[in-house]
Amino acid sequence: MLVQHAMSSFVLHGVGVSRGIAIGRAQLVSHATLEVAHYTIAPGATDAEIARFDTAMRETKQELSTLHNAMTAGDAPAEFGAFIDVHWMILNDPTMSEVPRRIIAEQRCNAEWALTQQMNVLVEQFDEIEDPYLRERKADVVQVVERVLKRLMGKPGPIGTPGAEHHTILVAHDLSPADIIQFKQHRFGAFITDLGGVTSHTAIVARSLNVPAVVATHNGRALIRENELLILDGTNHVVIVNPDKSVLAEYRLKQGELELGRAKLRRLKTKAATTLDGHAVELQANIELPGDLAQALDNGAMGIGLFRSEFLFLNREGLPSEDEQFEAYRSVAAGMEGKPVTIRTFDLGADKQKEGLDGLARVAPNPALGLRAVRFCLAEPRLFLTQLRAILRASHYGNVRILIPMLASVAEIDQTLVMIAQAKESLRERSVPFNDDVKVGGMIEIPAAALAISAFLAKLDFLSIGTNDLIQYTLAIDRSDDAVSHLYDPLHPAVLKLIAMAISAANRAQVPIAVCGEMAGEVRLTRLLLGLGLRSLSMHPAHVLGVKQRVLTSEIPAITGIVDRMRRTDDPAKLIALLDKLNA
Ligand code: PEP
Ligand code: MG
């Protein structure tokens, strides 16, 4: 939303999904139908990048020949063959096969970027052609480029020069979780997107990069120009475009203060998270890939409370084998040296799609309510068993626990437990070691699970509340739809009641319960969760020390009275007032 436009400086409001301040130059993510990243190639690596481009071109040509043969052998209409011939010609034209190679060499940029730059030039030339038929051929150019891009994006390129992009702020219409994972290799200073919400997986992954981000700016991508100076304030949900000198100086000062605050927090790394009155609180980290482990350890996490294993399935061709998954899980289990490592079985579906899987190939009418997470796993037993065997094998090398996402009913728990027993049996047959006593937990992220929790408590070893989905399903707000992101409200009385209910029931039954949704990392909610009886929180590693600081300055008896009043009211204004009191 554009709020103010004074000279060339203006302010965009959005939703800050990752805190902090970034000051840097805008880099627009190219608008080919596929979003394309732009990064710098290390000086000695341009030949390898050109080779990557050549391979993608060669593979695309092969793909077209196969298609052409299939068309001409069958009884497809002749135009189809002709249409492929046009694509073939475009692909072989030096403007397509040679110019991008030169761009890579001269600009030291990635192949995807070089190709889309050249595509934009060609498309502009087509726009100027008088003949309507020829003018329309620009669509063919775009389609050909997209074919090559798909090949390239299946195989991420070499890593850019470390540090070179530090002060770059990526501006995109939208970024999928898969796009952002690719960016993990590159050091961008911040993100801005037109779409997205606080708990969209894109926002979660952006937080895992530990860079400030503002999403849902609606038209930021159209208003911001390449290389413009930007201040992104993720804490206050704003982007200042072309700031004047005084604003810039003010933000540099703020940035310095934040840095100082972070340095102070670092001193808490090895301190136990205990309240003033002696209650121990377990602070664990959420990770997406084994590479995130270092950040979790660096922030003193006492375990991994959520390993979103589905990220192993994204940005790659084919599926990870049992051995490959085992190695990923084993490395995290061993790296945590006996501390708990909670591996969530893969939660594909909704906004984390993987092409080529049978169950997901169709476009679901409402993916968030569709064949997602455990539902998908139970529908694809072969895939599920492969993952379960890999996790069980890793359990021999550390303190591994299995966490099942999206459970709604007892039947799903029973079926999952049968699958785990089957996976164990096949390992026994292969004489492969595993921990037979591996703990199995379930996520409470569907209101039905919170409301009928006794069955979950009876059948599972531990529970973890996924507040992101619990809020989505309780308030009927699609997490990935920016049009409703303003309605996301962790303090909605209905949400609080469900969370309170789940924590009380688990505590009464003495079944360990944690919160692993984004609420766990929000310092302003720490005392609320402690007051509800929660003693275990798992969050993005970057939030662990801030939450620890809040735990260290909290006193349970002083909190519970206020939290009890929060549980009893349905008045949102009163809830906010009580929360302020809690944090005073
Ligand atoms: C949640 O839903 O709160 C959660 C932790 O899982 P995810 O965000 O991966 O859906
Ligand atoms: Mg979830």
Side-chain angles (χ1 to χ4, degrees):
M1 190 186 343
L2 181 61
V3 164
Q4 176 199 333
H5 201 153
M7 302 289 284
S8 58
S9 174
F10 59 94
V11 179
L12 287 164
H13 278 221
V15 180
V17 292
S18 186
R19 294 170 221 159
I21 292 169
I23 301 173
R25 298 273 164 193
Q27 187 166 98
L28 305 187
V29 175
S30 172
H31 228 113
T33 320
L34 282 163
E35 297 277 13
V36 163
H38 177 191
Y39 51 88
T40 311
I41 299 298
T46 47
D47 283 350
E49 188 64 3
I50 291 172
R52 197 166 75 86
F53 170 76
D54 289 344
T55 305
M57 291 290 276
R58 201 173 47 247
E59 286 174 355
T60 312
K61 283 179 199 168
Q62 267 160 13
E63 186 184 315
L64 284 180
S65 310
T66 313
L67 260 175
H68 190 270
N69 292 343
M71 297 277 181
T72 44
D75 53 3
E79 307 86 275
F80 281 26
F83 153 83
I84 301 220
D85 287 342
V86 171
H87 281 202
W88 177 265
M89 273 161 53
I90 294 172
L91 202 57
N92 283 290
D93 194 275
T95 54
M96 198 59 93
S97 57
E98 282 304 320
V99 178
R101 303 173 91 238
R102 269 211 307 276
I103 297 176
I104 296 170
E106 284 165 14
Q107 299 184 15
R108 287 212 348 254
C109 64
N110 53 316
E112 292 91 339
W113 185 255
L115 188 60
T116 32
Q117 290 314 292
Q118 178 61 1
M119 178 192 76
N120 291 339
V121 169
L122 294 174
V123 163
E124 264 174 37
Q125 288 170 1
F126 272 95
D127 277 337
E128 283 160 16
I129 295 175
E130 296 258 332
D131 182 291
Y133 172 79
L134 283 178
R135 200 167 53 232
E136 284 316 305
R137 297 287 56 77
K138 77 175 176 192
D140 292 300
V141 173
V142 174
Q143 281 164 10
V144 168
V145 167
E146 284 184 352
R147 266 186 202 280
V148 185
L149 281 176
K150 274 194 186 138
R151 294 267 160 199
L152 282 168
M153 312 244 282
K155 304 180 186 72
I159 296 171
T161 318
E165 304 93 345
H166 226 22
H167 299 293
T168 297
I169 297 182
L170 276 192
V171 184
H173 182 60
D174 192 18
L175 295 170
S176 72
D179 293 332
I180 300 197
I181 281 288
Q182 274 197 332
F183 298 146
K184 272 199 171 186
Q185 313 165 316
H186 312 293
R187 299 183 42 193
F188 292 105
F191 289 94
I192 299 170
T193 59
D194 290 347
L195 306 183
V198 183
T199 58
S200 62
H201 282 102
T202 303
I204 291 170
V205 183
R207 275 193 287 278
S208 81
L209 294 175
N210 207 11
V211 293
V214 171
V215 305
T217 59
H218 299 285
N219 48 8
R221 174 64 176 71
L223 293 170
I224 297 170
R225 275 167 302 194
E226 185 77 20
N227 217 31
E228 272 183 321
L229 185 62
L230 306 177
I231 295 174
L232 184 150
D233 181 346
T235 314
N236 291 306
H237 314 276
V238 292
V239 179
I240 304 169
V241 186
N242 291 321
D244 62 32
K245 275 196 183 128
S246 60
V247 174
L248 197 59
E250 188 188 325
Y251 268 93
R252 287 212 195 282
L253 206 70
K254 276 197 196 175
Q255 218 178 11
E257 283 166 7
L258 280 176
E259 206 42 66
L260 214 65
R262 269 199 285 272
K264 274 191 194 155
L265 278 182
R266 300 216 59 74
R267 294 189 212 135
L268 301 180
K269 180 179 161 184
T270 52
K271 204 167 166 61
T274 312
T275 61
L276 284 171
D277 54 324
H279 290 269
V281 180
E282 197 174 36
L283 301 181
Q284 303 194 348
N286 296 350
I287 63 168
E288 272 97 44
L289 290 168
D292 301 333
L293 184 65
Q295 203 193 350
L297 290 170
D298 204 35
N299 284 282
M302 289 168 68
I304 301 300
L306 174 67
F307 179 169
R308 291 183 163 99
S309 70
E310 61 276 10
F311 281 89
L312 294 174
F313 290 69
L314 302 179
N315 274 336
R316 53 170 297 142
E317 272 175 24
L319 301 167
S321 65
E322 180 183 318
D323 282 349
E324 194 180 334
Q325 289 188 59
F326 160 65
E327 187 43 41
Y329 307 144
R330 192 206 56 79
S331 69
V332 176
M336 286 309 287
E337 297 178 336
K339 296 192 192 80
V341 173
T342 313
I343 301 174
R344 175 173 75 185
T345 55
F346 62 83
D347 181 359
L348 288 170
D351 63 344
K352 286 177 290 195
Q353 297 287 349
K354 164 103 186 120
E355 280 177 20
L357 294 184
D358 289 347
L360 290 174
R362 72 193 176 100
V363 178
N366 190 339
L369 300 183
L371 199 61
R372 179 191 157 182
V374 71
R375 301 168 179 186
F376 175 65
C377 287
L378 292 172
E380 296 285 340
R382 228 161 33 90
L383 268 181
F384 196 23
L385 281 170
T386 303
Q387 180 176 40
L388 290 172
R389 284 193 304 268
I391 298 176
L392 285 166
R393 283 169 61 188
S395 71
H396 183 67
Y397 299 87
N399 183 2
V400 169
R401 314 191 306 166
I402 301 175
L403 179 61
I404 313 296
M406 279 279 286
L407 289 167
S409 62
V410 176
E412 286 164 345
I413 303 177
D414 290 341
Q415 286 169 38
T416 302
L417 294 176
V418 168
M419 300 278 284
I420 293 172
Q422 258 179 40
K424 284 183 177 178
E425 197 44 48
S426 71
L427 290 180
R428 267 188 217 104
E429 276 165 17
R430 280 158 51 187
S431 305
V432 176
F434 64 91
N435 172 16
D436 198 17
D437 190 32
V438 69
K439 301 289 180 246
V440 180
M443 290 194 71
I444 303 293
E445 47 187 353
I446 298 181
L451 291 166
I453 201 163
S454 59
F456 288 72
L457 292 167
K459 289 175 184 277
L460 295 164
D461 299 314
F462 67 95
L463 299 178
S464 192
I465 307 177
T467 51
N468 308 333
D469 278 312
L470 188 63
I471 294 169
Q472 155 165 269
Y473 296 125
T474 306
L475 304 181
I477 298 166
D478 187 332
R479 287 167 71 170
S480 53
D481 185 349
D482 70 304
V484 289
S485 63
H486 61 289
L487 299 173
Y488 169 83
D489 181 12
L491 286 177
H492 190 293
V495 172
L496 289 189
K497 284 198 173 98
L498 289 169
I499 295 173
M501 194 186 276
I503 295 172
S504 301
N507 285 347
R508 268 197 311 276
Q510 297 188 337
V511 172
I513 187 160
V515 166
C516 65
E518 296 302 295
M519 278 179 81
E522 277 198 60
V523 171
R524 74 181 179 118
L525 302 178
T526 304
R527 287 185 181 153
L528 167 61
L529 294 172
L530 292 178
L532 292 174
L534 191 76
R535 296 291 178 268
S536 178
L537 296 91
S538 188
M539 65 206 77
H540 183 268
H543 298 158
V544 171
L545 294 175
V547 170
K548 189 186 279 188
Q549 189 180 41
R550 186 54 58 103
V551 169
L552 291 169
T553 56
S554 299
E555 205 172 353
I556 302 293
I559 292 173
T560 37
I562 303 173
V563 173
D564 282 348
R565 284 166 64 197
M566 291 181 82
R567 289 173 76 154
R568 284 196 299 269
T569 183
D570 283 344
D571 176 355
K574 205 163 160 190
L575 272 169
I576 297 285
L578 287 167
L579 186 72
D580 288 345
K581 200 164 165 193
L582 207 52
N583 287 322

